Amino acid sequence: MTTALITGVCGQDGSYLADFLVPRGYSVFGLERPESSGQKMRSGVTLISGDMTDAASVAEVIRTCAPDEVYNFAAQSSVAASGELADETHAINADGVLNLLTALRTHAPNARFFQASSSEIFGAVTEAPQNETTPLRPRNPYGYSKAVAHAATAAAREDGLHASAGIFFNHESPRRGSGFVTTKIANAAAAISRTGSGVVELGRMEARRDWGWAPDYVEAAWMMLQHDSPGNFVIGTGETHSVDQFCAAAFGHVGLNHHDHVRVNPDFVRPPETVEMVSDPRLINETLGWSATKPFDEIVAAMVDAALERLDG
Ligand code: GDP
């Protein structure tokens, strides 16, 4: 039986990966912070308490689980909040990965390691689309922390560890956190559809993202660890849509016109990107046969339907 350790198992990506691995016969350990362990038990997952920012704690976790595969999804995952949470973001997203890699070198050198890198490592891009050779120019604490972890993963690979990084572009689902614009819009469309009135305040409507379906992305992570040679792979759809298009699809799904229910609030406006952030996922497509499965409109509809279900309790 293959043993997997998933860090951040209660988050969007970690929980989808657990849902993917358990039916495939894996023995799955899920690492959660001491304060959250035991609160959100997932079936088939053995929760294990540990602190990514504490090297001794991480080493103990690796010794206990003796994993064949390690998937690192533990993160302070909000770009927007990373300015105010710079220390925490660095401690979990960067130092935590160094702790994991050190523990693997010592206690499980044959384990395969997946690092959830992010398109934010590209930062102030000068070329579009972005691929595995795009220079790293991160521009916020989240991006800096993920760039350190990305470099550490590459160094571990050069040292002989089977260590891969998936450079994930934005990926959404009903389990996406409420701070992300997609969930914010889906929740608003659902709530407003119940009364027919109400307004949601957003930032830049023209902002564009390469939005994919989160379950596809964790499957890409799994495929990377089944491949004999570790490496870096960009994971995305290769297409972008605007916040305005997301609103149109979400409100349209519940029979409303988003122009009647969306207002721009300057507090939510972030500086615009000068070059579009959009993935070139050809390498993973050609090497592993992976491609995004769910069209944009279906992602939006699934998120709004889930928001409606949450309203119904
Ligand atoms: P990010 O790409 O990881 O920062 O994911 P977000 O979902 O937080 O933001 C995606 C894009 O939506 C960014 O370009 C934001 O500037 C834009 N955006 C526009 N309005 C909002 C808003 O009200 N909240 C958030 N979070 N993002 C917004």
Side-chain angles (χ1 to χ4, degrees):
M1 185 188 271
T2 311
T3 299
L5 169 66
I6 304 174
T7 72
V9 75
C10 294
Q12 170 184 264
D13 295 352
S15 66
Y16 277 121
L17 182 63
D19 291 350
F20 180 85
L21 295 181
V22 168
R24 284 168 175 76
Y26 274 73
S27 165
V28 178
F29 286 92
L31 178 71
E32 266 305 323
R33 296 186 210 199
E35 62 270 22
S36 60
S37 286
Q39 288 170 11
K40 293 172 268 179
M41 193 67 80
R42 302 198 74 78
S43 81
V45 177
T46 305
L47 281 180
I48 181 162
S49 177
D51 180 355
M52 288 284 293
T53 67
D54 175 350
S57 171
V58 173
E60 179 61 28
V61 167
I62 296 296
R63 274 201 303 270
T64 306
C65 304
D68 301 299
E69 298 177 6
V70 176
Y71 296 87
N72 182 40
F73 288 111
Q76 191 299 102
S77 65
S78 167
V79 176
S82 72
E84 285 172 11
L85 299 175
D87 288 351
E88 182 186 332
T89 303
H90 192 87
I92 299 173
N93 299 10
D95 294 339
V97 177
L98 301 182
N99 290 338
L100 262 179
L101 290 168
T102 302
L104 288 176
R105 281 187 172 103
T106 312
H107 302 294
N110 295 320
R112 297 186 169 196
F113 176 71
F114 172 82
Q115 167 61 12
S117 283
S118 159
S119 54
E120 287 288 325
I121 65 177
F122 298 135
V125 291
T126 55
E127 59 186 31
Q130 293 85 43
N131 65 25
E132 293 76 10
T133 64
T134 300
L136 308 193
R137 304 179 69 208
R139 281 296 181 274
N140 55 57
Y142 177 84
Y144 309 147
S145 68
K146 285 286 184 177
V148 170
H150 190 72
T153 303
R157 181 163 63 241
E158 282 163 25
D159 286 350
L161 236 59
H162 191 294
S164 291
I167 306 170
F168 282 7
F169 281 64
N170 293 48
H171 46 294
E172 315 300 310
S173 77
R175 298 184 194 168
R176 190 63 148 151
S178 56
F180 292 89
V181 75
T182 51
T183 301
K184 185 173 171 185
I185 297 165
N187 285 345
I192 293 169
S193 75
R194 288 291 155 88
T195 60
S197 69
V199 162
V200 59
E201 296 191 339
L202 298 172
R204 240 166 41 80
M205 300 297 289
E206 302 75 30
R208 299 183 76 86
R209 283 289 183 272
D210 179 338
W211 277 304
W213 180 238
D216 286 346
Y217 289 48
V218 302
E219 192 166 341
W222 175 78
M223 290 169 84
M224 287 167 64
L225 294 207
Q226 310 320 302
H227 190 52
D228 282 343
S229 350
N232 293 334
F233 292 95
V234 159
I235 322 286
T237 71
E239 285 176 16
T240 65
H241 293 85
S242 66
V243 171
D244 189 69
Q245 286 172 314
F246 199 102
C247 289
F251 282 86
H253 186 63
V254 289
L256 297 172
N257 183 336
H258 71 293
H259 291 120
D260 299 331
H261 302 286
V262 173
R263 187 180 296 150
V264 172
N265 178 338
D267 290 346
F268 297 125
V269 174
R270 295 187 222 158
E273 287 95 19
T274 46
V275 175
E276 187 170 63
M277 298 286 289
V278 57
S279 66
D280 170 2
R282 273 180 302 176
L283 183 66
I284 188 158
N285 181 256
E286 287 163 11
T287 315
L288 304 181
W290 180 91
S291 57
T293 65
K294 212 171 178 71
F296 175 73
D297 282 351
E298 288 182 22
I299 295 172
V300 179
M303 291 182 76
V304 175
D305 286 341
L308 288 165
E309 276 171 33
R310 284 196 293 269
L311 285 179
D312 293 335

